Amino acid sequence: ASLPIACFAFAVRRRLTAVLRARGFDIRELWASPAHFGVPNQRTRYFLLARQLSSFCEASSRLRPLLLDSAALDALTDDARLPLPHGEPDASVQAGCAPLSAYLLDAQRDAATLGALRVPAHVLERYAPALDLVTRHSRRSCCFTKNYTRYLKGTGSVILEGAGFEEPLPSAKTAQTLEKLQPRFFGIR
């Protein structure tokens, strides 16, 4: 799967950065995911930051590995593509994220709302092995696409409300094992 920026001609990036620099902007380019900023979600994307009137300060040690070398990118040909990021955030980055519970409705107080988000049994029967599973204590989740809840392969994580804090995620993802753990979709808070 390619990332959205790979769809754009590299010449567009070259033209944009040239215009920004000509107008006095200092630029930084990077691959980053919400997890790099403490949010427990994996969705690595390309960012171009521009600042006018003053240069960026020295990048922090946490940000430095995410930066792309703009000079090296400028040297590439117009039919080139941006180098892809080096995988998803590692375990140390994820450990620095807040648990998902910090972003979720209270399970007891909002039980009726959350109950409406339960994954139906017929969906579990068909798609259980393809689900990305997380718990309230997880410090990661997969990005959500516009087809979340309609298509289950690669569209976002499903939370297991019945999983305990220290309980490992089931190794056998079957409808029977998951049903006991009360799988549900994420909803709007």
Side-chain angles (χ1 to χ4, degrees), residues 2-20:
S2 62
L3 297 172
I5 194 66
C7 299
F8 296 105
F10 199 71
V12 173
R13 180 233 163 243
R14 183 186 311 279
R15 188 176 302 152
L16 175 62
T17 57
V19 168
L20 288 170

Side-chain angles (χ1 to χ4, degrees), residues 65-87:
L66 307 176
L67 294 174
L68 295 167
D69 182 349
S70 292
L73 293 176
D74 290 341
L76 296 173
T77 62
D78 283 349
D79 61 348
R81 294 189 185 274
L82 282 174
L84 293 177
H86 305 292

